[in-house]
Amino acid sequence: MILSLDEKITREQQKQLMERLEWMGLHAVLLEDQGKPGIAIVQGGDALVDFSQFKALPFVEKVAAFTHPYKLASRQVKPQKTVISVKGKTIGGEELAIMAGPCSIESEEQIFSSARIVASQGATFLRGGAFKPRTSPYAFQGMGEAGLQLLQKAGATYGLVTISEVMDASQIDLVANYSDLLQIGARNMQNFSLLKQLGRVKNPVMLKRGLSATYQDLLMSAEYILNAGNPHVILCERGIRTYETYTRNTLDLAAVPILQELSHLPVIIDPSHGVGIRRFVTPMARAAVAAGADGIMVEVHPEPTKAFSDADQTLSPEEFTVLMQTLREIAPVLKRRV
Ligand code: PEP
Ligand code: MN
């Protein structure tokens, strides 16, 4: 339930109202970001209490029911888009968030050379996994903390904002200590105990869509993080499983306008995992920007064929250069920039 409040309400009166709602056994969240003050009652408000009780509360002008099961992620509580800022770079703003780098951090030389390529082309986010979710237990599992240290060093050297995956709740503080953004992988999208723990860090979290998750499933998972107290959530479409086997996954670009309509959270497209075939990554990255995505995540490696993981879908420095050149031309049509 959403309560719209009288603009004249003071901070102290808002606090008193919140205390009263909590006393009524409800879990309420202050909405300060929509031009007009409001309160979202995210838990306990729908079944237990009737509307008229809320209308009788001081400063309450209007009472509305939620139209979707996700609440804090919905446009209903926040009509305007969320713009996330990290170290002066934004995700969801006019500038596209271009996240690029290797699938896995492999060595100092590899991550530094990747960072140099990424920065030289004007991208602002450096990706690299230190904890890797591999289908086979015998495949390279990532460098762990040593890799995170290298990622942090490479990011700082080239002025790039970093992003790295957290696979388990026990890794949250470690990854959050070295990496600016945390990535939750597709296989963990519905690891609810992990999602709940992400409320304790300040780092923005990029949540990747699960292999068989609907938009609503993805938004409900985002809701877990928001409800846990971390408002900096980014949604990422990275392809879903369909009957098509030619590509690694089926990249669902309809996710861009649909998620942006349903939610205020930024939407990033990952065409690398989305198609899994190097030569199709660039066209799909262009299409993602043309569809209005807030940014892209692509895998880039100084020598893609030698990559420890996801070699087949990783762009070479030359391919990444061409991609960035064309994105620079496409972006202004959408009133965005690179
Ligand atoms: C990755 O980004 O390298 C990754 C493992 O992604 P996903 O969780 O989308 O498979
Ligand atoms: Mn990968």
Side-chain angles (χ1 to χ4, degrees):
M1 209 165 285
I2 304 170
L3 313 183
S4 304
L5 305 177
D6 185 336
E7 274 165 41
K8 290 195 283 294
I9 191 167
T10 64
R11 283 256 161 214
E12 189 51 35
Q13 287 160 337
Q14 270 183 6
K15 204 172 141 244
Q16 283 166 6
L17 190 52
M18 288 292 283
E19 279 164 6
R20 191 155 162 185
L21 294 168
E22 296 290 339
W23 177 82
M24 288 164 80
L26 308 169
H27 176 31
V29 180
L30 262 182
L31 307 173
E32 302 171 285
D33 207 21
Q34 51 172 11
K36 223 174 138 38
I39 289 178
I41 299 168
V42 292
Q43 208 169 356
D46 302 329
L48 295 177
V49 203
D50 73 83
F51 272 41
S52 56
Q53 269 186 281
F54 292 107
K55 281 206 186 105
L57 289 169
F59 299 101
V60 174
E61 283 186 343
K62 219 172 85 196
V63 182
F66 283 110
T67 48
H68 296 288
Y70 41 88
K71 300 172 183 184
L72 300 174
S74 79
R75 286 266 187 184
Q76 236 187 328
V77 304
K78 191 169 179 289
Q80 58 291 65
K81 283 185 71 166
T82 285
V83 180
I84 295 172
S85 298
V86 204
K87 291 186 170 164
K89 300 295 167 201
T90 56
I91 306 148
E94 198 186 306
E95 186 177 7
L96 290 173
I98 310 290
M99 307 178 176
C103 179
S104 308
I105 303 153
E106 300 166 5
S107 67
E108 178 156 0
E109 197 193 329
Q110 175 250 19
I111 193 68
F112 269 75
S113 138
S114 303
R116 188 172 38 74
I117 297 156
V118 170
S120 71
Q121 293 312 312
T124 41
F125 295 80
L126 176 65
R127 65 150 286 150
F131 295 104
K132 296 304 302 175
R134 305 305 300 280
T135 308
S136 165
Y138 310 116
F140 178 61
Q141 303 285 309
M143 287 181 75
E145 186 170 4
L148 291 169
Q149 286 169 342
L150 294 176
L151 179 74
Q152 187 187 45
K153 236 170 92 182
T157 305
Y158 290 96
L160 298 166
V161 180
T162 54
I163 175 163
S164 201
E165 179 163 353
V166 173
M167 279 175 60
D168 184 274
S170 67
Q171 297 163 354
I172 295 177
D173 296 316
L174 180 74
V175 181
N177 187 34
Y178 291 109
S179 175
D180 300 309
L181 277 76
L182 306 182
Q183 174 174 319
I184 298 299
R187 290 154 195 85
N188 261 321
M189 190 206 83
Q190 284 186 315
N191 181 343
F192 301 121
S193 55
L194 170 61
L195 301 180
K196 282 185 202 168
Q197 293 295 316
L198 293 164
R200 71 165 190 256
V201 289
K202 300 237 177 316
N203 312 49
V205 176
M206 188 168 89
L207 181 64
K208 297 187 102 178
R209 182 180 183 183
L211 275 68
S212 59
T214 63
Y215 300 139
Q216 181 159 310
D217 293 336
L218 173 61
L219 291 168
M220 291 312 289
S221 289
E223 190 77 15
Y224 264 92
I225 307 171
L226 298 169
N227 188 45
N230 189 338
H232 311 299
V233 179
I234 301 148
L235 305 171
C236 178
E237 157 64 33
R238 46 77 72 207
I240 48 173
R241 281 267 162 90
T242 66
Y243 51 78
E244 182 56 72
T245 54
Y246 193 86
T247 47
R248 181 177 178 180
N249 291 292
T250 296
L251 185 66
D252 175 17
L253 284 183
V256 175
I258 295 171
L259 290 172
Q260 286 174 340
E261 182 179 283
L262 298 176
S263 176
H264 52 87
L265 300 171
V267 178
I268 299 288
I269 292 291
D270 169 357
S272 302
H273 295 86
V275 292
I277 303 169
R278 186 175 306 136
R279 65 184 185 281
F280 301 128
V281 171
T282 295
M284 295 317 284
R286 291 175 181 145
V289 169
D294 295 299
I296 54 160
M297 170 178 262
V298 286
E299 289 179 336
V300 181
H301 190 288
E303 289 180 277
T305 53
K306 294 191 181 152
F308 290 4
S309 55
D310 287 348
D312 293 348
Q313 65 191 37
T314 298
L315 298 181
S316 67
E318 295 73 30
E319 287 164 322
F320 182 60
T321 304
V322 171
L323 169 62
M324 289 299 281
Q325 280 163 355
T326 51
L327 292 189
R328 234 172 246 116
E329 292 184 45
I330 297 169
V333 179
L334 282 299
K335 307 220 169 359
R336 308 299 281 260
R337 64 192 154 76
V338 176

